[in-house]
Amino acid sequence: MRAPGTPTIRLTIARSPHELATLAADAVVEALPGDRAPVLGVATGSSPSGVYVELARRQAAGEIDLRDASAFALDEYVGLPDGDPHSYRAVVDEQVVVPLGLDPARVHVPHGSAADLAAEAASYERRISEAGGVDVQILGIGRNGHIAFNEPGSALDSRTREAELAPETIADNARFFDNPDQVPRRCVTQGVGTILDARRIVLVAQGEAKADALAHALEDAVSPAWPATALQQHADVIVIVDEAAASSLTPEARAAAGVGIR
Ligand code: GLP
């Protein structure tokens, strides 16, 4: 048993957005299998976007080649028409598929406009298994400690399913829409259990709004009240945050953290 408050998760506090993206890309690249096409887990949100830019830069420089990778997104809104620019499918296409030159047929996003969402969720789980599981999952964290759209109260062994967004999430994501009433109320999300099946998880978080959630995630006992605490149960989690997101950590947690190395 680990002593309370002892981080088992590797935490680095980056000194700049560039360093954060660089360290996160390093953590992704290190987890790529050498002998077969990789399976990436991709998150939407503002925190991971710099990581995709850095991966694309490395690919353009010939340092890596992800063009034969498959990818699975974490989640999707329910209720947006196919092709809606606010959909996570559109975000993943723009931030991941195009810059990395992936084959769109190998990039999976839950189909939020499916007539039968339970069947879509079951098929999503099946597609992840058939791909051999996710090698490395890039992850963000919500202000309320959600991972993907697993809001507080989500079962820590949950699988891909239809779920409801929390009021804080609707408020936070309203910035992407013209009007808060347009933010969908429901989603299809990978479960906490689905996310924990990834072989490595790289969590990125930036900004003071994430400080509280990050402190709970790393320092609280594991509980559905803060779904990100479930990451403590995974053997290979790398957390890379900026100073603002780290600002509510206890001195003990900060002392155990590496500080940017570039
Ligand atoms: C959305 C996504 C989450 C993401 C969160 C934080 O709610 N569904 O997967 O972690 O936003 O995003 P950001 O990095 O923009 O703060």
Side-chain angles (χ1 to χ4, degrees):
M1 272 294 272
R2 72 188 186 95
T6 305
T8 53
I9 292 173
R10 281 180 283 167
L11 167 70
T12 300
I13 302 170
R15 290 171 298 209
S16 68
H18 172 71
E19 185 177 63
L20 184 143
T22 302
L23 294 171
D26 288 348
V28 170
V29 170
E30 194 184 69
L32 298 174
D35 53 349
R36 58 175 170 78
V39 182
L40 304 175
V42 294
T44 52
S46 37
S47 301
S49 60
V51 184
Y52 305 130
V53 170
E54 174 61 15
L55 289 172
R57 187 198 66 72
R58 291 183 192 194
Q59 181 162 285
E63 295 169 24
I64 56 170
D65 187 353
L66 292 171
R67 286 171 300 173
D68 62 352
S70 315
F72 287 88
L74 287 168
D75 44 18
E76 179 60 286
Y77 292 118
V78 166
L80 298 178
D82 284 347
D84 189 291
H86 301 102
S87 70
Y88 284 171
R89 175 83 230 185
V91 174
V92 167
D93 283 349
E94 185 195 321
Q95 294 195 357
V96 182
V97 176
V98 172
L100 289 173
L102 304 189
D103 176 355
R106 284 201 295 262
V107 178
H108 305 263
V109 181
H111 193 205
S113 61
D116 183 344
L117 291 170
E120 169 61 13
S123 136
Y124 204 68
E125 287 280 334
R126 209 163 41 239
R127 280 179 273 159
I128 296 174
S129 302
E130 284 167 4
V134 169
D135 290 307
V136 51
Q137 175 66 58
I138 298 168
L139 195 64
I141 183 171
R143 183 161 60 97
N144 60 2
H146 76 208
I147 49 174
F149 275 138
N150 292 285
E151 302 287 20
S154 297
L156 301 185
D157 61 356
S158 51
R159 310 303 303 186
T160 304
R161 68 200 183 289
E162 184 183 1
E164 198 172 328
L165 303 194
E168 309 87 89
T169 302
I170 294 169
D172 285 347
N173 291 1
R175 70 187 192 278
F176 298 111
F177 293 80
D178 296 335
N179 158 348
D181 294 341
Q182 292 171 349
V183 184
R185 269 38 183 176
R186 301 191 69 76
C187 63
V188 178
T189 181
Q190 286 190 28
V192 178
T194 319
I195 295 168
L196 293 181
D197 283 347
R199 287 181 271 281
R200 166 172 284 185
I201 298 174
V202 179
L203 175 83
V204 287
Q206 299 180 75
E208 209 184 335
K210 301 296 171 66
D212 198 33
L214 192 79
H216 284 284
L218 301 188
E219 303 197 61
D220 277 14
V222 175
S223 151
W226 293 91
T229 56
L231 299 172
Q232 296 173 25
Q233 298 173 323
H234 192 283
D236 188 4
V237 178
I238 295 180
V239 175
I240 303 164
V241 301
D242 65 6
E243 185 57 52
S247 60
S248 293
L249 294 171
T250 59
E252 293 72 30
R254 289 180 64 94
V259 176
I261 51 170
R262 280 171 194 257

